[in-house]
Amino acid sequence: MRVHKLTFAALAVAAGLSLTACQSGNDDAAGGQSDPSSTSTSTSTSTPSSATGSSGSSGSSGSSGSTGSGTAGGSGTATGSNANAKVGKCRTADLKITAQDNTIDGDTDGTVVVTFTNDSGKDCTISGYAGVDLQTNAGTTSAQRTGQAATSAVLKNGKSTYFPISYPINNTGGSGVRITGLVVTPPDETNSVTLAWPGAASLPVSDSAGTPVKVGPVGSAGQGG
């Protein structure tokens, strides 16, 4: 009987040890499962930082990543905007407009050269024909375009461009049609300026239809001619 009791006791001890080892193994397994959970949380927390870094990297390498594109486009957009911006048209208020006589002795027609000087503080574009009207004691005479091809040009701030007005000289000996003023309207504008007429005092009287006064396109006359 003692032998059997000892055997049962030994079995009980062994069973207890086995149960303890099993519980310990389960606890270790449970402890091992908490690590991935912790790592996943850490990864999730760091993901925004990682994503931002990735965008920054792709941007610096010239990729089209949103952050990189926005950052790289900061100065790029401004530069591109300046480079590609359209230069506005020259307006009447942008221009200092003057006129001077440029008739050459011996010519059958007189010539007045009108100067457009850009004093707006910025560049502007100008092209085409200006509107030209001569005020006279017999009414207004509008100049006719010569038909010469017009070119477009950027008129830099502080720079000038010119166009000619030609008209018949009054050699009849009579008083003719007296010119009292010159009205100039820049191309593509509706606002005009009135200048003193610098040319001959009068036009010959003519019964022919049309106007004897001609105007060339802007840029078709050099300074003083």
Side-chain angles (χ1 to χ4, degrees):
M1 293 295 294
R2 178 179 293 274
V3 174
H4 289 278
K5 288 181 179 180
L6 288 176
T7 301
F8 289 140
L11 290 175
V13 171
L17 291 175
S18 175
L19 180 61
T20 300
C22 181
Q23 289 177 346
S24 175
N26 291 338
D27 289 341
D28 290 341
Q33 290 177 356
S34 66
D35 290 339
S37 175
S38 175
T39 302
S40 176
T41 302
S42 174
T43 302
S44 175
T45 301
S46 64
T47 297
S49 174
S50 174
T52 302
S54 173
S55 297
S57 299
S58 64
S60 63
S61 64
S63 169
S64 59
S66 59
T67 304
S69 175
T71 304
S75 61
T77 300
T79 302
S81 176
N82 290 337
N84 298 324
K86 293 183 178 179
V87 178
K89 292 182 178 180
C90 297
R91 299 303 181 189
T92 303
D94 298 332
L95 303 170
K96 178 182 178 181
I97 304 174
T98 57
Q100 67 181 45
D101 182 35
N102 196 57
T103 302
I104 299 174
D105 291 342
D107 281 357
T108 56
D109 287 337
T111 302
V112 166
V113 171
V114 176
T115 303
F116 288 149
T117 301
N118 180 3
D119 63 354
S120 65
K122 61 184 183 299
D123 298 345
C124 60
T125 59
I126 191 165
S127 65
Y129 284 78
V132 171
D133 297 300
L134 299 188
Q135 297 174 329
T136 75
N137 61 338
T140 300
T141 297
S142 297
Q144 182 179 352
R145 296 178 179 183
T146 62
Q148 183 179 346
T151 59
S152 178
V154 174
L155 186 59
K156 298 290 187 179
N157 180 49
K159 299 300 182 179
S160 300
T161 189
Y162 315 85
F163 70 87
I165 303 169
S166 63
Y167 62 96
I169 297 174
N170 181 18
N171 293 322
T172 64
S175 61
V177 179
R178 185 166 54 87
I179 304 172
T180 59
L182 169 63
V183 180
V184 177
T185 308
D188 300 317
E189 262 286 44
T190 56
N191 296 321
S192 305
V193 296
T194 301
L195 307 172
W197 174 250
S202 64
L203 298 172
V205 177
S206 174
D207 294 329
S208 61
T211 174
V213 183
K214 308 293 183 182
V215 58
V218 174
S220 62
Q223 183 174 8

